[in-house]
Amino acid sequence: MEQRISLITLGVADLAGARSFYSALGWKQANDDADVVFFQAGGMVLALWGRDQLAADSRVRDGGGWGGVTLAYNVRSPAEVDALLADAKAAGATIARPGAPTFWGGYSGVFVDPDGHPWEVAHNPGWSLGRDGSVSLSSPS
Amino acid sequence: MEQRISLITLGVADLAGARSFYSALGWKQANDDADVVFFQAGGMVLALWGRDQLAADSRVRDGGGWGGVTLAYNVRSPAEVDALLADAKAAGATIARPGAPTFWGGYSGVFVDPDGHPWEVAHNPGWSLGRDGSVSLSSPS
């Protein structure tokens, strides 16, 4: 297995509502299917699909809440963390944790999308963030 | 917000066991911290962290099971799907859905890691898979 992930699918209760939320944050849908939304996200894809359909397709029982997966989005400064959290709130997210210094020496906060999926928004001075948005675990040179 | 994801963190009950599982699939840890595992995954990072710690850090209540997120890993042929599912089973995964043709015209199966996180392994003839493993929503040319 190569060290890569091709697709992350977020199960949603209301596909149109979820699409509107991510659209309000600037994401542009790449497909024109009625029942699934695909966003190109760098070298991978983020999908929105009905949570019941995703559970059935994945052959898992739905625990009904959060299930042990958190996404993160890294930015280039603490001020960018605060700005993005404000944008997410304006788009309809819940701010679960406001921007603040973290125990690991960075600065982050968390927004939760309308379907309960948390996104940490983080500035990590120990990781490199390329011009194309790619993240590298090596320290900035 | 740019269309990208920096980090996916999987909450795990037994960090050493989870690390062993992904190591058996060929993933190489990039850090030497005792309490968190980072894997470079293309232009993003996959992390393993204690599920309780992740829930607390994300300020979410843990539903206790699957929570509406499924990862997928795309490969170049149906035979590769079957081979990877076999590797995952040998590494300790549960095969939730064996490889078979899908309703969307591809071929896929699902393995579930020791912490209940499902991975669809898929061959999608309608998407492009680059030499570096990056996925593009455009059709292969």
Side-chain angles (χ1 to χ4, degrees):
Chain A
M1 188 175 189
E2 297 160 35
Q3 293 190 200
R4 57 184 179 78
I5 297 162
S6 305
L7 170 70
I8 301 174
T9 304
L10 301 182
V12 302
D14 168 13
L15 189 67
R19 178 186 4 214
S20 293
F21 173 76
Y22 285 95
S23 295
L25 282 176
W27 292 63
K28 300 200 188 319
Q29 183 174 357
N31 65 318
D32 55 8
D33 303 281
D35 60 342
V36 63
V37 173
F38 293 129
F39 299 109
Q40 184 75 46
M44 55 168 294
V45 174
L46 177 69
L48 307 175
W49 197 26
R51 182 161 169 150
D52 291 348
Q53 294 162 287
L54 182 61
D57 195 71
S58 304
R59 300 286 198 277
V60 289
R61 190 148 38 124
D62 191 346
W66 180 79
V69 181
T70 293
L71 306 179
Y73 178 85
N74 281 28
V75 295
R76 294 174 176 78
S77 68
E80 268 193 76
V81 172
D82 291 332
L84 182 50
L85 291 172
D87 288 348
K89 184 176 183 184
T94 300
I95 303 303
R97 175 159 61 77
T102 66
F103 70 90
W104 43 265
Y107 185 96
S108 81
V110 173
F111 73 81
V112 178
D113 85 1
D115 286 281
H117 300 299
W119 285 79
E120 182 180 31
V121 181
H123 174 243
N124 184 339
W127 290 7
S128 301
L129 187 56
R131 288 173 65 102
D132 65 354
S134 63
V135 167
S136 168
L137 284 163
S138 53
S139 298
S141 53
Chain B
M1 188 175 188
E2 297 160 36
Q3 293 190 200
R4 56 184 179 78
I5 296 164
S6 305
L7 170 71
I8 301 175
T9 303
L10 302 181
V12 303
D14 168 12
L15 188 67
R19 177 185 7 215
S20 293
F21 172 76
Y22 285 95
S23 295
L25 282 176
W27 291 62
K28 301 201 186 319
Q29 182 173 358
N31 64 318
D32 56 8
D33 303 280
D35 60 343
V36 64
V37 173
F38 293 128
F39 299 109
Q40 185 74 46
M44 55 169 293
V45 174
L46 177 69
L48 308 175
W49 196 27
R51 182 162 167 148
D52 291 348
Q53 294 162 287
L54 182 60
D57 195 70
S58 303
R59 301 286 198 279
V60 289
R61 192 149 37 127
D62 191 347
W66 181 79
V69 181
T70 294
L71 305 180
Y73 178 86
N74 281 30
V75 294
R76 294 174 176 78
S77 69
E80 267 192 78
V81 172
D82 292 333
L84 183 50
L85 290 171
D87 288 347
K89 185 176 181 183
T94 302
I95 303 303
R97 174 158 63 74
T102 65
F103 70 91
W104 42 265
Y107 184 95
S108 81
V110 173
F111 74 80
V112 178
D113 86 2
D115 286 280
H117 299 298
W119 285 78
E120 182 179 31
V121 182
H123 174 244
N124 184 338
W127 289 6
S128 301
L129 188 55
R131 291 171 64 100
D132 65 353
S134 63
V135 167
S136 169
L137 285 163
S138 53
S139 298
S141 54

